Amino acid sequence: MTRFTALTLLFVGSTTMAASDMPDMDHSQMSGMDHSALQGMDDGGMQPAAPSESRTPIAALTHADRAAVFTSPGGHQVHDSAINSYFLADKLEWQDADTAGTLAWDLSGWIGGDIDRLWLRSEGERSNGKTEDAEIQALWGHAISPWWDVVSGVRQDFKPGAPQTWAAFGLQGMALYNFEAEATAFIGEGGQSAVRLEGDYDILLTNRLILQPTAELNVYGKNDPQRGIGAGLSNTEAGLRLRYEIRREFAPYIGVTWNRTYGNTADFAREDGEDRSETRLVLGVRLWF
C-alpha cells in the first residue's frame, strides 16, 4: 500500500466516525430555518434586519380626535357670519412743539366680519388746552383680496376753522414686506378736494423692541385760507418711533417727528407766525384690544 492510499483511507474513516457521533441531529429541521434574520448581515458584522412593524402600534384616528382638532374654544372666527371688532391707538402721545407741548392721537378700529366692516378713524392735536386739529372718519370697507380693502364713507373735520364734511373713497391694506398703506381721496363742500397717503412699517430689532418709521402726505385741490390750506402739496409728516412691547397690547415708545408745509400752505403758516418746518420729540403709548 502506498503512502497516498493510506492517508486517503484515514481521512475517509475519520469523517465517517464524526457523522456517526451525531445520530440525534434532525437535519430536516434546517430546511425551515428563518433566513430573513441573516439578510442584514454583511462582511462587516452581524446586523439583524429592521422590523417591518412597530412594536407599539399607533391607534386609529377617531371622530372625537378629528373634532378636537377643528374645534376652537374662542377667539376670532374665520369665514363665517360672526361679528368681530378691533381697536388700535397707534399714536397716543405728547409732542415737544416749539410753542408749547402738544397732545396728539391717531386712532382706528373696525367692527364686522371677514369681508365687510365698518371702519372708524380719528386723528388730531391739542395745544394749551385748545384743539388745533381734529377729524373723524366713518368708512365702509370691503375686502377685495386677503390683504386689501376698498373703503368709502364720510369724513368730518372739526378743526381748524369751521366744521366741514367730506365724502371719502380709498384703498388700504398691506403691501410687500408688511408695509401698511392707506390712500384716500376726499371731496368736500364748495368743490374742495384732497388726497392723503399714509404708510408705516415695523422693524423688529428684537422680539419686543420695534422701530416704526411712518410717513403722511396731504394734497389739496384749491386754496382754503380760512383753514390755512393751500392748493397742491400742502404738508408732510415723517416719524420714527421706538417702542417696547411690555405686552403685545401695550407698548410705550419714544421718537421724533419732522413736519413741513409747502407752497401756499407755508405762506399761510408764515402769516400766522408759524414755522415752515418743525422737529418734535414725542413720548407716547401704543395699545390695542
Side-chain angles (χ1 to χ4, degrees), residues 142-205:
H142 179 78
I144 57 175
S145 78
W147 307 109
W148 292 96
D149 295 351
V150 292
V151 294
S152 62
V154 296
R155 162 185 160 187
Q156 180 67 42
D157 289 356
F158 300 97
K159 294 288 182 177
Q164 184 178 21
T165 304
W166 307 73
F169 310 90
L171 182 69
Q172 65 181 20
M174 183 179 295
L176 293 176
Y177 307 106
N178 296 329
F179 180 80
E180 297 278 355
E182 293 180 6
T184 313
F186 304 96
I187 300 176
E189 300 170 325
Q192 181 64 283
S193 61
V195 173
R196 176 178 296 166
L197 304 177
E198 296 182 76
D200 62 74
Y201 180 70
D202 285 350
I203 303 173
L204 273 68
L205 303 180

Side-chain angles (χ1 to χ4, degrees), residues 3 35 39 45 97 113 123 138 163 183 186 190 216 219 230 233 243 254 260 272:
R3 182 178 297 178
H35 297 280
Q39 293 178 357
E123 59 181 77
F186 304 96
E216 180 179 324
V219 178
L233 178 59
R243 71 177 185 265
I254 186 172
R260 183 177 177 85
D272 292 338

Side-chain angles (χ1 to χ4, degrees), residues 258-279:
W258 297 272
N259 303 281
R260 183 177 177 85
T261 57
Y262 305 87
N264 292 335
T265 303
D267 295 336
F268 292 141
R270 191 177 300 109
E271 292 175 1
D272 292 338
E274 300 176 359
D275 294 331
R276 181 175 182 178
S277 62
E278 186 177 5
T279 301

Side-chain angles (χ1 to χ4, degrees), residues 61-68:
L61 288 176
T62 65
H63 292 296
D65 296 332
R66 295 186 179 93

Side-chain angles (χ1 to χ4, degrees), residues 106-165:
D106 186 350
L107 315 175
S108 63
W110 58 264
I111 182 171
D114 297 314
I115 304 300
D116 295 297
R117 297 172 177 175
L118 174 63
W119 286 84
L120 298 175
R121 303 175 185 167
S122 178
E123 59 181 77
E125 295 181 359
R126 285 179 60 86
S127 298
N128 295 323
K130 180 181 179 182
T131 301
E132 302 288 345
D133 188 3
E135 70 175 57
I136 188 170
Q137 300 178 32
L139 308 170
W140 188 258
H142 179 78
I144 57 175
S145 78
W147 307 109
W148 292 96
D149 295 351
V150 292
V151 294
S152 62
V154 296
R155 162 185 160 187
Q156 180 67 42
D157 289 356
F158 300 97
K159 294 288 182 177
Q164 184 178 21
T165 304

